[in-house]
Amino acid sequence: MEYVSPEGLRLDGRRPMEMRQLRAEIGTVAKANGSAVFEMGNTKVIAAVYGPREVQNRSQQINDQALVRCEYSMANFSTGDRMRKPKGDRRSTEISLVIRQTMEACILTHLMPRSQIDIFVQVLQADGGTRSACINAATLALADAGIPMRDIVTSCSAGYLNSTPLLDLNYIEDSAGGPDVTVGILPKLDKVTLLQMDAKLPVDIFENVMGLAIEGCKAIANYIREVLLENTKQLEYRRGL
Amino acid sequence: MRGLQLPLSQTQRIRLQRALEKLQSLSCKANSDASVTVADTIPVNYEDAFLKGHGTTDLNGDLVATVCGVVERINKLVYVRALRARYKPEVGDIVVGRVVEVSQKRWRLEINFSLDAILMLSSMNMPDGIQRRRTALDELNMRGIFEENDVVCAEVRNFQHDGSLQLQARSQKYGKLEKGQLLIVDPYLVKKSKQHFHHLEQFGIDLILGRNGFIWVGEHVEARDSMVVDQANSSEQSMVPEEKSQTHTPLEMRQNICRISNAVRVLSALGFSIDSDLILETVELSSTVKIDIHDMLGSEFHVLVAEREAERRSLMGKRKR
Amino acid sequence: MVGLSVGEKHFIQGGIAQDLRSDGRKRLTYRPIYVETGVIPQAHGSARVRLGATDVIASVKAELGKPSALQPDKGKIAIYVDCSPTAAPMFEGRGGEELSTELSVALQRCLLGGKSGAGAGIDPTSLVVVEGKVCWDLYIDGLVISSDGNLLDALAAAIKAALSNTGIPKVDVAAETTSDEQPEVNISDEEFLQFDTSGIPVIVTLTKVGRHYIVDATSEEESQMSSAVSISVNRKGHICGLTKRGGVGLDPSIILDMISVAKHVSEQLINKLDSEIAAAEASEEES
């Protein structure tokens, strides 16, 4: 099947290095301490953060840092074919772990000892790149909750089909069987916190694809930073003196 | 707009937009320039000695923000004031909390902080008013003073070495709060002021603005000296709950309580800082416009409050000049 | 759910007795309802309903399937509800399962009628394509994003809105088929059949606190309830389903009174909901 036409257009009309449309909204769940909705094309994800608050389970309390917990769940209607089990299956557990480790690396946990931070991510629509959208939404929600972080984390995926590196794969391109590289970076510190790949790639092409994904992450970081700055300014001028 | 999921008609949307734009133009320009997000560099003159405050960290010699907020500089201290965050306690703050647990010689209160706060039995005035050592009998009777889920007003006493918070409730005006409702808003909307207890005489209502974002609106209760008298009638007290159910809050006072609560809800939804003058003005506005108490939470009133606030701030700005 | 002190509980009960609740509503007033349709473009129909701080999403997906042997002339409808942990930390893991099951069963009872499919609010005969061989399976999924009481009413409203937004693709059946073969069906991408939702009922939950009942309870008021009765009423004023929750026993005359109150309230609710759905669809078409 042809994923990249001879003119250089993908199945949804994008160019190979073009990302899908991004949209972010802060503060959707009023009851949570921080929340955000993040959309990458058709992939739509809600993240909610509760905390820092007192640890509910005394045995899990850590004396010198905060405990970070995360749960990833997909809605029944999020994928094309209905899913039977929204949570508890192995993929969800793995992604919960991945998100938790990534966010834990950037939160300054030593500032909030013996407390607990809960991150809940809910996928409303899945069209490829759910892992990345979840991490981006979680970053926004944590910033909204005022939790101190070393840097924001952004994530993006890239692949290699028809001998072309492609940025931000959607579901059809993802299930084509080609390689899928997901990268998460700390843009200011210029460090990679998450790197996952499946299928196989020669090393030099891998460097290309990873570089492309990192470019994508940086673009997302700029967008997220704009959204947060706008939100902060709005809150400040509304509050008044 | 956080929580402002209101169905606005086209005209209402335009009016609200205009009012918010006016507020934006009135806001301190320096402040909006000083807004930062996570990992933004803070412009500092590195030759001057400066102190790194909250919300900042050192990154390769640069000063970088760790939260989204506004940079404040006071003398040599540079820090980032986070807007939406958990409560940041300071010694001497008045807070309102809810009892989560009753344990040995102490109560644990939830106060919108990263940890629960502790109120020691020894930091509490005894019902009989006598200053004495707390005996084992006092410990067993702790539930007689406060039990789980009670709403309590207290003051921040100090921080423990491990970061947890200690409260005290020694004065008469602190203690259990009943006959009213508790509202929760974001802590950054309640600013530190001289007065946090407000007795609104014209309504006969107590308004307590806890610095942690818990706001109590309730019937006015005379200074807690009643506790001293109650000890003598303590045996009757235990039987009174039955009869208490007969004495409900009178309707007019309830209407006032609801009006004030709704005013607080509207102000918090619009993101305006909350103080007692503003609340009273909002309540007056609702009476002049003759709006139903429930309709105060509707779109029209929100737009009116936004417009009125824009006017008020522009007047204040002119007065300053 | 946050606990309430004795003083606060007393205050709430007093308010309900005096017909002035904590946010100024009367006993039988609903909070403002806000409807958005088409929030999940991948589904055949979807809607999001906000009732105060309660926020729910409903989505409708249709798949081709085989009708059951017992009812060859009817399609199949299934309703599932999931409580997302974003609504409350206690819904994490399996914490929300009990509530989800309770809501799913209550919705099924109110909207789908009896085992034989008789008396359903949603008519399954309109879902059949080829009798006995091919029918549409309708999967209605509800997701609770934020919870502040009265989830059942909000979910029923969302389902009604989602069904108004649903377009079932038109199916062309290949003409020559023998009686045992599966007929070939061509699913059209262009044409859609809109669902007729005038017959779909709404659910009105009456919560009894003390001697009075209130409509649209917030989660604080719900914690005070002695019992609650959820009644689903359709436009004609017919009762399509009834569920009682809560342990306290109710006098039968009170239940009959509650039913008549529910009928009265449902008229306004149905009108309000229909106008909101129409407004939402209109604004969806504009965008």
Side-chain angles (χ1 to χ4, degrees):
Chain A
M1 185 169 165
E2 209 181 64
Y3 293 98
V4 186
S5 74
E7 298 93 47
L9 291 177
R10 290 150 80 171
L11 290 169
D12 52 5
R14 285 185 284 155
R15 301 234 148 251
M17 310 260 194
E18 203 183 314
M19 203 159 36
R20 290 177 288 184
Q21 177 145 71
L22 299 173
R23 196 183 84 85
E25 195 188 307
I26 301 188
T28 30
V29 181
K31 281 197 157 186
N33 294 113
S35 58
V37 173
F38 196 79
E39 286 180 50
M40 285 169 86
N42 279 333
T43 302
K44 195 166 171 179
V45 166
I46 288 187
V49 168
Y50 285 90
R53 55 194 186 124
E54 183 86 25
V55 180
Q56 308 293 312
N57 194 352
R58 268 293 155 77
S59 56
Q60 290 177 338
Q61 202 180 58
I62 311 176
N63 272 331
D64 57 348
Q65 20 169 319
L67 175 71
V68 178
R69 291 161 74 238
C70 176
E71 180 166 301
Y72 165 91
S73 42
M74 297 184 81
N76 270 337
F77 44 79
S78 54
T79 52
D81 313 313
R82 262 182 94 252
M83 287 188 63
R84 286 286 141 180
K85 239 181 150 212
K87 18 182 160 164
D89 62 321
R90 294 160 72 112
R91 182 170 172 272
S92 302
T93 323
E94 191 242 333
I95 299 187
S96 304
L97 187 68
V98 162
I99 299 180
R100 182 174 74 74
Q101 284 174 342
T102 319
M103 303 326 289
E104 208 170 6
C106 74
I107 299 178
L108 293 168
T109 46
H110 63 271
L111 291 178
M112 298 161 287
R114 293 178 298 123
S115 66
Q116 174 179 321
I117 300 177
D118 288 315
I119 308 175
F120 298 118
V121 186
Q122 174 80 41
V123 177
L124 296 178
Q125 259 198 167
D127 187 24
T130 37
R131 211 169 292 228
S132 308
C134 289
I135 292 181
N136 295 330
T139 299
L140 278 168
L142 284 168
D144 183 38
I147 294 181
M149 295 194 278
R150 217 163 262 130
D151 193 358
I152 56 177
V153 187
T154 53
S155 160
C156 193
S157 65
Y160 189 73
L161 289 170
N162 289 149
S163 316
T164 335
L166 300 174
L167 180 61
D168 194 14
L169 306 170
N170 61 22
Y171 183 69
I172 309 176
E173 293 165 343
D174 201 359
S175 17
D180 173 18
V181 178
T182 308
V183 176
I185 64 167
L186 298 170
K188 179 93 182 197
L189 300 171
D190 219 3
K191 296 209 158 99
V192 174
T193 53
L194 169 69
L195 182 58
Q196 286 184 323
M197 184 183 107
D198 52 17
K200 54 183 186 202
L201 267 187
V203 173
D204 47 348
I205 301 186
F206 170 74
E207 280 180 26
N208 249 350
V209 174
M210 188 171 118
L212 184 60
I214 293 184
E215 288 302 312
C217 292
K218 294 203 173 135
I220 298 181
N222 284 337
Y223 177 68
I224 287 186
R225 202 164 264 136
E226 260 175 50
V227 170
L228 284 175
L229 198 60
E230 181 59 41
N231 189 43
T232 309
K233 287 194 178 155
Q234 245 208 23
L235 288 179
E236 179 61 22
Y237 77 69
R238 288 236 212 107
R239 173 179 175 253
L241 295 143
Chain B
M1 231 171 281
R2 171 170 307 271
L4 200 64
Q5 323 278 16
L6 289 171
L8 294 166
S9 74
Q10 199 55 13
T11 33
Q12 284 171 338
R13 209 179 299 246
I14 298 178
R15 282 163 61 197
L16 188 60
Q17 200 66 15
R18 224 174 273 155
L20 291 174
E21 273 160 20
K22 203 165 167 194
L23 284 173
Q24 190 171 9
S25 59
L26 287 167
S27 79
C28 190
K29 179 122 196 342
N31 255 0
S32 75
D33 285 342
S35 303
V36 286
T37 51
V38 180
D40 274 354
T41 344
I42 302 176
V44 178
N45 195 346
Y46 288 98
E47 264 106 51
D48 301 336
F50 61 89
L51 293 169
K52 296 195 281 280
H54 283 180
T56 64
T57 187
D58 196 32
L59 180 67
N60 303 335
D62 280 339
L63 192 63
V64 147
T66 57
V67 288
C68 294
V70 175
V71 177
E72 300 270 3
R73 294 163 216 266
I74 301 183
N75 295 337
K76 290 209 191 310
L77 180 65
V78 179
Y79 70 98
V80 178
R81 176 169 49 88
L83 289 163
R84 286 204 73 243
R86 294 292 256 180
Y87 168 53
K88 230 188 194 68
E90 288 166 31
V91 176
D93 272 352
I94 303 205
V95 293
V96 176
R98 199 185 279 281
V99 175
V100 172
E101 192 190 328
V102 180
S103 46
Q104 269 209 337
K105 288 201 217 159
R106 69 184 70 169
W107 292 276
R108 224 156 38 92
L109 271 71
E110 192 226 316
I111 57 163
N112 204 13
F113 179 48
S114 37
L115 297 170
D116 291 339
I118 309 273
L119 178 62
M120 302 290 298
L121 179 58
S122 47
S123 313
M124 214 17 247
N125 273 343
M126 280 290 105
D128 50 11
I130 310 172
Q131 306 278 21
R132 55 178 172 75
R133 275 198 91 130
R134 313 294 184 234
T135 62
L137 198 59
D138 289 322
E139 271 187 58
L140 291 172
N141 284 341
M142 278 177 79
R143 277 214 172 74
I145 307 177
F146 298 139
E147 53 173 12
E148 275 90 352
N149 289 327
D150 272 345
V151 180
V152 175
C153 175
E155 185 189 27
V156 175
R157 183 174 166 211
N158 61 17
F159 283 93
Q160 294 282 64
H161 56 90
D162 55 7
S164 66
L165 205 58
Q166 270 215 0
L167 303 175
Q168 70 176 2
R170 280 202 172 282
S171 150
Q172 298 297 4
K173 47 190 178 152
Y174 302 132
K176 181 145 82 171
L177 298 170
E178 300 179 302
K179 297 197 193 165
Q181 50 178 327
L182 185 68
L183 303 163
I184 301 183
V185 304
D186 286 324
Y188 78 99
L189 294 173
V190 183
K191 283 197 261 243
K192 198 171 176 88
S193 74
K194 289 196 207 81
Q195 264 275 57
H196 283 275
F197 291 92
H198 301 275
H199 170 40
L200 305 173
E201 263 128 30
Q202 67 267 49
F203 301 123
I205 285 178
D206 270 343
L207 175 68
I208 304 183
L209 300 170
R211 281 271 289 152
N212 58 339
F214 283 18
I215 297 183
W216 174 262
V217 183
E219 262 186 58
H220 178 61
V221 182
E222 286 309 318
R224 323 279 157 155
D225 291 331
S226 53
M227 275 234 203
V228 179
V229 184
D230 280 342
Q231 185 65 3
N233 322 338
S234 61
S235 48
E236 294 171 29
Q237 278 285 58
S238 44
M239 291 193 281
V240 157
E242 256 58 53
E243 296 149 40
K244 244 189 182 176
S245 54
Q246 308 318 8
T247 55
H248 280 156
T249 324
L251 185 61
E252 199 181 317
M253 180 162 308
R254 190 177 285 280
Q255 282 175 343
N256 291 329
I257 292 183
C258 286
R259 235 176 239 283
I260 295 181
S261 318
N262 279 352
V264 173
R265 287 189 184 109
V266 170
L267 289 173
S268 130
L270 287 168
F272 299 151
S273 59
I274 296 177
D275 61 23
S276 65
D277 296 325
L278 198 50
I279 297 177
L280 286 172
E281 274 180 38
T282 316
V283 174
E284 260 176 57
L285 179 65
S286 74
S287 327
T288 35
V289 185
K290 289 205 190 347
I291 205 169
D292 219 9
I293 304 181
H294 171 50
D295 290 329
M296 279 172 80
L297 296 176
S299 5
E300 182 59 33
F301 192 63
H302 276 91
V303 176
L304 281 173
V305 171
E307 287 173 343
R308 211 271 329 272
E309 176 69 12
E311 267 178 53
R312 192 184 73 96
R313 285 204 206 152
S314 66
L315 281 174
M316 261 174 51
K318 283 189 197 133
R319 242 181 263 148
K320 275 196 186 151
R321 287 182 231 131
Chain C
M1 305 295 148
V2 185
L4 290 173
S5 71
V6 173
E8 285 172 292
K9 288 184 185 171
H10 193 62
F11 187 77
I12 293 179
Q13 284 166 2
I16 293 173
Q18 292 172 336
D19 203 16
L20 185 66
R21 292 151 74 173
S22 0
D23 54 358
R25 282 187 286 158
K26 298 217 166 303
R27 285 196 282 263
L28 300 178
T29 317
Y30 264 87
R31 285 173 282 187
I33 303 180
Y34 192 45
V35 177
E36 257 176 81
T37 52
V39 290
I40 311 276
Q42 272 180 352
H44 289 111
S46 59
R48 179 176 181 180
V49 165
R50 280 186 274 248
L51 200 60
T54 300
D55 196 349
V56 300
I57 291 186
S59 100
V60 176
K61 273 212 164 133
E63 284 172 8
L64 282 178
K66 204 161 183 297
S68 85
L70 299 165
Q71 285 150 31
D73 63 338
K74 296 202 165 99
K76 297 194 291 250
I77 309 178
I79 303 184
Y80 291 105
V81 174
D82 187 27
C83 293
S84 167
T86 54
M90 65 178 219
F91 290 155
E92 176 185 8
R94 306 192 65 157
E97 247 178 62
E98 208 181 292
L99 183 60
S100 313
T101 326
E102 194 191 319
L103 291 168
S104 311
V105 168
L107 284 169
Q108 279 168 358
R109 191 173 301 137
C110 287
L111 295 172
L112 293 185
K115 283 209 177 60
S116 63
I122 309 167
D123 185 15
T125 48
S126 58
L127 294 173
V128 76
V129 176
V130 174
E131 189 163 320
K133 300 242 179 64
V134 181
C135 72
W136 283 112
D137 285 339
L138 216 60
Y139 291 104
I140 305 181
D141 290 303
L143 182 69
V144 175
I145 298 183
S146 172
S147 157
D148 190 24
N150 210 17
L151 290 172
L152 206 52
D153 295 14
L155 281 164
I159 291 178
K160 190 171 164 72
L163 284 169
S164 335
N165 182 244
T166 305
I168 309 260
K170 231 172 165 141
V171 181
D172 298 316
V173 188
E176 334 80 53
T177 42
T178 62
S179 49
D180 356 296
E181 269 179 24
Q182 269 306 89
E184 278 185 36
V185 284
N186 217 352
I187 304 181
S188 153
D189 278 332
E190 310 292 314
E191 296 166 37
F192 292 96
L193 289 167
Q194 290 295 117
F195 237 103
D196 173 26
T197 54
S198 55
I200 298 185
V202 292
I203 299 186
V204 175
T205 303
L206 285 166
T207 313
K208 188 162 190 293
V209 178
R211 279 200 298 262
H212 307 269
Y213 2 100
I214 54 175
V215 136
D216 194 15
T218 61
S219 49
E220 288 171 346
E221 292 166 339
E222 264 180 8
S223 67
Q224 293 308 296
M225 74 174 195
S226 52
S227 52
V229 178
S230 303
I231 303 162
S232 97
V233 188
N234 70 7
R235 189 172 276 274
K236 297 195 203 114
H238 293 169
I239 310 255
C240 305
L242 201 106
T243 312
K244 178 191 171 294
R245 301 196 321 267
V248 173
L250 287 175
D251 198 79
S253 60
I254 298 189
I255 298 192
L256 290 173
D257 190 36
M258 282 175 139
I259 293 179
S260 65
V261 168
K263 270 170 76 168
H264 173 71
V265 171
S266 67
E267 283 166 23
Q268 292 167 0
L269 181 60
I270 290 183
N271 288 335
K272 180 97 208 307
L273 198 56
D274 282 338
S275 67
E276 286 291 323
I277 294 176
E281 303 241 291
S283 63
E284 191 203 341
E285 276 160 27
E286 276 166 40
S287 58

